Amino acid sequence: MADQLRGWRCKEPLLLFLLLEILWGAGAGPIRYSVLEELEKGSFVGNIAKDLGLEPRELAERGVRIVSRGRTQLFALNPQSGSLVTAGRINREELCAQSAPCLVSFNILVENNMKMYGVEIEIIDINDNFPRFRDEEVKVKVNENAATGTRLVLPFARDADVSVNSLQSYQLSRNMHFSLEEKSGADGQKYPELVLERPLDREKVAVHDLFLTALDGGDPVLSSTMHIRVMVLDANDNAPLFTRSEYRVSVPENIPVGTRLLTLTATDPDEGINGELTYSFRNEEDKISETFKLDSNLGEISTLQSLDYEESRFYLMEVVAQDGGALLASAKVLITVQDVNDNAPEVILTSLASSISEDCPPGTIIALFSVHDGDSGENGEILCSIPRNLPFKLEKSVDNYYHLLTTKGLDREEISDYNITVTVIDCGNPPLSTESHISLTVANINDNPPIFPHTSYSTYILENNPRGISILSVTAHNPDSGNNAKVTYSLAEDTLQGMPLSSYVSINSNTGILYALGSFDYEQVKDLQLWVMASDSGDPPLRSNMSLSLFVLDQNDNAPEILYPSIPTDGSTGVELAPRSAEPGYLVTKVVAVDRDSGQNAWLSYRLLKASEPGPFAVGLHTGEVRTARALLDRDALKQSLSLVVAVQDHGQPPLSATVTLTVAVADNIPDVLADLGSLEPAADPDASGLTRYLVVAVAAVSCIFLAFVIVLLALRLRRWHASRLLQASGGGLVGVPASRFVGVDGVRAFLQTYSHEVSLTADSRKSHVIFPQPNYADTLISQESCGKSEPLLIYEKININEERGVVQVRFLFQYGCL
């Protein structure tokens, strides 16, 4: 047998090229090839690259692959040659059994454009199977009185091959009593029968041994032999008889196991053992005996296991009824299985793009899948759908393949992931359905710039802040993802007071926290205008900006500064003069102070901190004006110069203050002052000079004033309330003065024009001389031209004593106001 197979394989290459056909439809239909079975793995089937219009190297580049459902891959693609080859040995009998022709269908998928091409390959049979009898030996009983021409049905042989390679004929060994005849059934099967040619005589020959040989039509011819033992029985002259020669029954595939399908009935007119009938299957296949059960006494056929229409649509069997005398009759039984809707449709995903860019155009293919239902007829008709509220649709491809594609543009910021439910439902009753879920991720592109919640921000920071303190945290949101959503922050380049903004503040590029690089001074920088920019990390990057106003808040870090009276630079002591005839409320002088802070930190109040003689003077709380609180008494003499300490305090927290000491001399007129000063002549001895005596007297006077101040301290505190009333009353003393007579410096008003005449005298009469300088402006806060007609408002004197030079300087100040 092996020699026969080798002889056949030697002719395989020639037969291969003789039988190979590539059938192209005119622009439609599958690609057709044919190939012999049992070829070696890798055997050439067809030039699929040429038939697809591709070069061999394009098979891998375009992702060409075989798509088949539910069976072992029988063929493969050779990417080097572009050929379709066998993936292994192909057994036609396992694929198609007795069906002819044997066709294997599958699809070729071109991945890059998701196109499908049908391929149909015919598997050509070779003579690789012997005809086979089920049993190597069979016993046949025959009555000895059987008439010439009696026919005895014999078991037939089966050949898995088809066409000329299948079973063609039988041969019977030579004998004297029997001949062989063949009958062909409707299914093409050949059935052998023994025909009695001569009468039998059991007493002479009880057993006849015959050999039946089955032959196929292959080249070389294959055969097999069965031993037949013909047992000659005593006479039984009536054979069984079935009521019908063929029984047919149709049953649904879902009937329960053990259901009785039909009952066969045969009769035998004989009596006794010759009339007792037994039923059995003849020549049944294993599949028949595993699926059905035949009651040997009753002739009832029932199921042993569930029926499946998709596995076998009908069952054909032969039932024999035999009596006790070895006579028998046969009948054909055809059981047809009816399809019921017991198979739900299934979805097979062939190709899927799990991620798709949000800028993909409508009509982009996302997935390729096929649907299948194992039922037939309406039960196998399938409807496929997806939800209507999704931007996708289904499009029918070849066979039962569908494309899932987009219908409009996608926006990842609205929906980033889709879970698409594909529902397939058949047309059975009741219908069965299956759902398959396809997950799709929308890939992000950089189509959204960072967005600030507001286009402008305002924030505040106290001056004198620590270096590196965080001021504000800004955040911009980007609805994109990944690097496209990573936001970095920066400040726009600009300058302030000739310095770049980057020297004042900086921003953390990752967190958006704004830091102060130095300590702010409200008096120098009151606010900053910044532009904060947010940029993503996309390609190209997108950016946005927002305006930030940074206001510096004032702190009370500047004490009041006293502008008047100013401290002399020549070492002299300033003395303010007041006439003895001054009425209460007489303006002696005015303390002028400013504060570089702002707001309540720059609101100034004045108060009399200490006085050598309590009671004569009061200070305006808000104006700083020093006025007489009562009429001056005789004791308020020049040599008893009154010393006043005025405190100027702001309203900050904590409050800051400054003090100034005023010395007020009381005199009726200027000549009196000059006469007193002229009496101060120097002594002959330097140690007893008049200047020294004057200084001693001045020191004694100051000591007396201090002692008096200590004594009347308690009285001053008790009179504070009364003094505050007087101060409030004196605050209206300048109501009649036009506003143009003052100039404002951060809320503090000072007189506009002051004329002064100075008289300098020496204590030595020998060198005495009087100097009358020309009038000049001592304090010109505005130009003279800004004032029209002016009249003197008041006259007061100031005495400066320079001990080192021995000079007494008297200044007469004439203050004018604009009318």
Side-chain angles (χ1 to χ4, degrees):
M1 193 67 187
D3 293 335
Q4 293 175 344
L5 288 175
R6 281 194 297 269
W8 170 255
R9 290 193 176 96
C10 291
K11 302 176 182 179
E12 284 180 359
L14 178 60
L15 292 175
L16 175 64
F17 290 101
L18 292 176
L19 297 176
L20 185 63
E21 293 183 49
I22 301 175
L23 301 177
W24 281 92
I31 302 172
R32 291 183 173 86
Y33 303 103
S34 60
V35 64
L36 295 174
E37 65 170 330
E38 297 297 337
L39 292 180
E40 295 290 338
K41 178 181 178 180
S43 298
F44 176 85
V45 177
N47 192 340
I48 191 66
K50 178 181 178 182
D51 296 333
L52 292 177
L54 302 174
E55 295 295 330
R57 58 179 176 80
E58 291 183 288
L59 295 182
E61 294 175 357
R62 293 177 175 263
V64 179
R65 58 188 176 94
I66 296 175
V67 179
S68 61
R69 182 186 60 82
R71 64 171 58 193
T72 304
Q73 191 68 265
L74 301 177
F75 302 94
L77 295 174
N78 188 328
Q80 285 77 25
S81 63
S83 303
L84 183 67
V85 298
T86 58
R89 288 184 175 274
I90 300 175
N91 191 328
R92 192 205 66 83
E93 288 72 29
E94 291 180 0
L95 292 177
C96 303
Q98 295 295 313
S99 299
C102 180
L103 300 177
V104 176
S105 299
F106 55 88
N107 293 299
I108 296 292
L109 170 64
V110 181
E111 187 75 34
N112 67 334
N113 58 11
M114 291 192 182
K115 288 188 176 181
M116 301 287 294
Y117 298 91
V119 178
E120 187 178 273
I121 299 178
E122 179 182 2
I123 309 302
I124 298 176
D125 183 47
I126 64 173
N127 193 23
D128 59 340
N129 292 282
F130 293 85
R132 297 183 184 277
F133 292 97
R134 179 175 177 179
D135 302 310
E136 295 182 357
E137 182 177 317
V138 65
K139 292 181 179 181
V140 179
K141 297 179 180 179
V142 61
N143 286 326
E144 64 177 343
N145 59 353
T148 302
T150 300
R151 295 176 178 272
L152 303 177
V153 178
L154 297 176
F156 58 87
R158 296 179 181 275
D159 193 329
D161 295 326
V162 295
S163 186
V164 70
N165 295 323
S166 64
L167 177 66
Q168 298 296 318
S169 63
Y170 294 93
Q171 289 183 358
L172 186 64
S173 60
R174 291 185 178 184
N175 65 91
M176 297 175 58
H177 295 85
F178 298 96
S179 63
L180 180 66
E181 287 191 6
E182 297 176 4
K183 286 187 177 181
S184 297
D187 56 355
Q189 180 67 43
K190 297 183 180 298
Y191 299 93
E193 293 182 352
L194 282 179
V195 180
L196 184 60
E197 297 292 340
R198 293 182 180 183
L200 299 173
D201 187 355
R202 181 181 178 280
E203 288 68 29
K204 291 182 178 180
V205 180
V207 177
H208 297 268
D209 293 312
L210 307 176
F211 293 92
L212 180 63
T213 301
L215 305 171
D216 63 18
D219 184 17
V221 177
L222 302 180
S223 64
S224 62
T225 303
M226 179 180 66
H227 180 204
I228 302 174
R229 301 198 68 185
V230 180
M231 313 295 294
V232 181
L233 302 178
D234 286 337
N236 180 18
D237 54 353
N238 291 291
L241 180 65
F242 280 100
T243 56
R244 286 184 291 176
S245 61
E246 184 175 336
Y247 292 82
R248 294 172 180 257
V249 65
S250 181
V251 295
E253 62 177 327
N254 60 348
I255 60 172
V257 175
T259 301
R260 187 181 66 182
L261 304 182
L262 77 161
T263 301
L264 287 80
T265 302
T267 59
D268 191 329
D270 292 331
E271 293 181 356
I273 193 173
N274 292 328
E276 294 180 1
L277 303 178
T278 57
Y279 300 90
S280 62
F281 289 119
R282 185 167 67 174
N283 293 320
E284 80 275 12
E285 301 176 0
D286 294 338
K287 190 175 183 180
I288 298 295
S289 60
E290 292 171 357
T291 306
F292 301 99
K293 173 185 177 183
L294 175 61
D295 190 313
S296 59
N297 297 318
L298 301 177
E300 294 179 350
I301 297 177
S302 58
T303 58
L304 289 175
Q305 63 182 17
S306 299
L307 303 180
D308 189 352
Y309 174 84
E310 288 70 41
E311 183 178 342
S312 180
R313 300 186 180 186
F314 63 89
Y315 296 89
L316 181 61
M317 61 198 77
E318 184 178 9
V319 177
V320 174
Q322 186 173 2
D323 60 18
L327 296 180
L328 52 83
S330 64
K332 297 290 182 66
V333 177
L334 177 63
I335 299 176
T336 303
V337 181
Q338 296 176 347
D339 183 37
V340 296
N341 194 24
D342 60 342
N343 291 284
E346 58 179 335
V347 179
I348 301 172
L349 192 61
T350 304
S351 181
L352 171 65
S354 59
S355 178
I356 187 171
S357 177
E358 62 178 321
D359 62 345
C360 67
T364 300
I365 297 176
I366 298 171
L368 175 67
F369 63 90
S370 63
V371 294
H372 173 72
D373 194 320
D375 296 320
S376 62
E378 290 187 352
N379 297 331
E381 295 180 3
I382 301 173
L383 300 176
C384 188
S385 64
I386 60 173
R388 295 184 178 180
N389 59 344
L390 297 178
F392 307 103
K393 69 176 182 179
L394 293 177
E395 188 177 84
K396 185 73 179 293
S397 182
V398 298
D399 296 338
N400 289 326
Y401 284 87
Y402 288 85
H403 281 136
L404 177 64
L405 38 81
T406 59
T407 58
K408 63 179 182 179
L410 306 179
D411 189 350
R412 191 206 67 84
E413 286 68 43
E414 292 184 1
I415 302 178
S416 60
D417 296 281
Y418 289 92
N419 189 13
I420 307 167
T421 301
V422 179
T423 303
V424 289
I425 184 170
D426 61 25
C427 299
N429 188 17
L432 300 179
S433 63
T434 301
E435 290 185 350
S436 180
H437 300 281
I438 297 176
S439 297
L440 178 65
T441 300
V442 182
N444 181 57
I445 63 171
N446 193 27
D447 57 346
N448 291 280
I451 300 174
F452 288 99
H454 305 284
T455 57
S456 62
Y457 286 82
S458 296
T459 188
Y460 304 87
I461 183 172
L462 283 173
E463 65 172 334
N464 303 318
N465 56 281
R467 296 170 63 90
I469 189 173
S470 62
I471 302 173
L472 175 71
S473 177
V474 297
T475 302
H477 174 68
N478 194 326
D480 291 327
S481 63
N483 285 335
N484 295 333
K486 185 179 179 181
V487 180
T488 56
Y489 303 89
S490 62
L491 295 176
E493 293 293 335
D494 202 353
T495 58
L496 178 66
Q497 297 180 356
M499 297 288 291
L501 285 179
S502 57
S503 63
Y504 293 92
V505 293
S506 69
I507 191 168
N508 188 307
S509 61
N510 295 322
T511 63
I513 299 177
L514 191 69
Y515 295 94
L517 296 181
S519 180
F520 286 97
D521 187 351
Y522 175 81
E523 287 70 37
Q524 295 182 3
V525 178
K526 292 181 172 56
D527 63 85
L528 285 83
Q529 297 297 325
L530 309 173
W531 283 98
V532 179
M533 296 185 295
S535 176
D536 59 28
S537 300
D539 185 18
L542 301 179
R543 58 178 57 88
S544 62
N545 54 40
M546 68 93 178
S547 173
L548 174 62
S549 298
L550 176 60
F551 297 97
V552 181
L553 298 181
D554 183 44
Q555 282 188 322
N556 193 27
D557 58 344
N558 292 283
E561 296 180 9
I562 297 176
L563 302 179
Y564 185 85
S566 60
I567 299 176
T569 59
D570 56 359
S572 62
T573 301
V575 177
E576 305 292 341
L577 300 180
R580 290 189 179 92
S581 60
E583 297 294 330
Y586 176 80
L587 178 63
V588 178
T589 186
K590 180 179 177 70
V591 177
V592 180
V594 295
D595 194 318
R596 291 193 299 167
D597 293 323
S598 64
Q600 68 178 11
N601 295 330
W603 296 349
L604 302 181
S605 61
Y606 303 81
R607 62 187 176 91
L608 188 60
L609 187 63
K610 184 173 68 173
S612 58
E613 181 69 24
F617 302 101
V619 179
L621 179 64
H622 300 294
T623 62
E625 295 174 346
V626 180
R627 294 178 181 270
T628 56
R630 58 175 173 78
L632 298 178
L633 303 178
D634 294 339
R635 61 181 181 177
D636 301 325
L638 176 61
K639 294 182 180 181
Q640 297 174 340
S641 59
L642 303 179
S643 178
L644 305 177
V645 179
V646 178
V648 184
Q649 180 176 292
D650 59 26
H651 287 72
Q653 291 295 330
L656 301 178
S657 62
T659 59
V660 63
T661 301
L662 301 175
T663 301
V664 180
V666 180
D668 287 333
N669 49 51
I670 296 175
D672 293 340
V673 177
L674 296 177
D676 293 337
L677 294 175
S679 64
L680 297 175
E681 294 182 357
D685 190 298
D687 295 335
S689 66
L691 180 59
T692 302
R693 288 194 299 271
Y694 180 82
L695 292 177
V696 171
V697 172
V699 171
V702 172
S703 299
C704 292
I705 294 173
F706 175 73
L707 181 61
F709 175 77
V710 173
I711 294 174
V712 300
L713 178 61
L714 180 62
L716 288 176
R717 290 186 177 274
L718 294 176
R719 294 178 60 189
R720 184 178 298 277
W721 178 80
H722 179 66
S724 64
R725 293 287 302 272
L726 294 177
L727 289 174
Q728 293 176 359
S730 65
L734 296 178
V735 173
V737 180
S740 62
R741 297 174 185 173
F742 302 92
V743 63
V745 181
D746 285 344
V748 180
R749 291 186 174 182
F751 288 102
L752 295 177
Q753 297 180 6
T754 302
Y755 298 86
S756 65
H757 298 271
E758 295 183 357
V759 179
S760 299
L761 301 178
T762 62
D764 190 353
S765 60
R766 293 171 297 178
K767 301 177 181 179
S768 61
H769 61 278
V770 179
I771 302 175
F772 295 94
Q774 294 297 322
N776 59 78
Y777 298 124
D779 186 10
T780 58
L781 297 179
I782 63 172
S783 63
Q784 185 177 5
E785 288 78 8
S786 64
C787 182
K789 180 180 179 182
S790 61
E791 294 182 357
L793 296 178
L794 58 89
I795 302 174
Y796 67 97
E797 303 81 19
K798 181 175 182 181
I799 302 174
N800 294 331
I801 302 174
N802 193 323
E803 297 178 359
E804 295 178 357
R805 297 169 56 189
V807 177
V808 176
Q809 185 182 44
V810 180
R811 181 191 297 176
F812 302 94
L813 296 99
F814 302 89
Q815 296 182 343
Y816 290 82
C818 299
L819 298 179

